[in-house]
Amino acid sequence: MISISRATKVELPELTELVHQYRAFYKQERSEEVSEFLEQRITNDEAIIFLANYVEELNIRAVGFTLIYPTFSTVSLSTIWLLNDLFVDPNYRRHGIADLLMDTAETAAQDAGATRVFLRTAHDNLTAQALYEKRGWVQDETFRRYDLLFNS
C-alpha cells in the first residue's frame, strides 16, 4: 500500500536519500548540502513536500516525493504553485505512485486557492512528459523561459 503525507523534519533522512537519487538523474554530484537545504525549506515553511511511503506490515519505506514552491502571479493577481520536483525510486515505478503524488499536489494547490500549478522538465524526459499530458497538463505556448546563471 502507498500512503502520501506532507514531509516533516522527521523524514529528512529518507527524503534526503530520494533527493540524492533525483539529483543524480539530472547529473548532479552528491552533496552534503541536500539535507540542510531540505530542512531549511521545511523549517521556514518555504516549500510543500509530499512524501510517498510504501507501507507493508510494519515496514515503511519512502519511495517518492514531490516538492512544490508556492509563489505569485502579477498577471493573474493570484497564488500559483511551482511543482519543482517529482521523483519515484526506480524500483517502485509503474505502480501509480507518480500519479498519487500529482493528485495530492493538484488537490492541495486547489484547496490552497492557487489558480494554477506549473512545472518544467528536461526536454528528453519523455516519461514525465507523457505522465503530465495524460493528466491533462498542457505545454506552455504563451511564455518562453530564460535563465541567467551565476557561478556558485
Side-chain angles (χ1 to χ4, degrees):
M1 178 178 94
I2 300 296
S3 71
I4 309 288
S5 60
R6 188 161 175 181
T8 66
K9 287 193 263 185
V10 172
E11 292 93 7
L12 267 175
E14 296 91 347
L15 178 60
T16 298
E17 185 50 42
L18 287 170
V19 171
H20 283 308
Q21 291 179 50
Y22 170 75
R23 287 172 40 83
F25 176 81
Y26 283 104
K27 313 240 183 314
Q28 299 299 305
E29 297 283 326
R30 203 169 171 92
S31 172
E32 297 300 317
E33 297 173 25
V34 168
S35 183
E36 181 182 337
F37 177 86
L38 294 168
E39 183 174 12
Q40 287 176 1
R41 302 295 75 74
I42 292 169
T43 299
N44 297 333
D45 203 24
E46 295 171 334
I48 297 164
I49 305 169
F50 292 111
L51 196 59
N53 289 297
Y54 179 74
V55 181
E56 185 178 55
E57 296 182 21
L58 299 177
N59 185 27
I60 300 174
R61 174 174 165 69
V63 297
F65 75 94
T66 187
L67 195 150
I68 303 143
Y69 294 105
T71 189
F72 304 95
S73 169
T74 305
V75 172
S76 65
L77 299 175
S78 65
T79 301
I80 59 176
W81 282 22
L82 166 59
L83 195 156
N84 202 68
D85 311 294
L86 174 69
F87 178 79
V88 175
D89 181 317
N91 297 315
Y92 291 87
R93 291 183 182 160
R94 306 259 183 249
H95 294 12
I97 296 169
D99 265 322
L100 288 172
L101 286 164
M102 295 287 293
D103 282 344
T104 303
E106 292 165 8
T107 300
Q110 285 184 307
D111 290 349
T115 58
R116 74 181 152 106
V117 182
F118 68 104
L119 60 80
R120 62 185 191 183
T121 190
H123 291 285
D124 62 352
N125 193 347
L126 301 179
T127 302
Q129 292 167 32
L131 169 68
Y132 307 141
E133 291 170 12
K134 176 189 87 167
R135 297 185 57 80
W137 289 59
V138 293
Q139 188 171 357
D140 189 336
E141 300 290 335
T142 305
F143 296 100
R144 181 170 293 181
R145 187 185 121 198
Y146 292 90
D147 292 325
L148 177 61
L149 303 177
F150 300 104
N151 294 332
S152 49

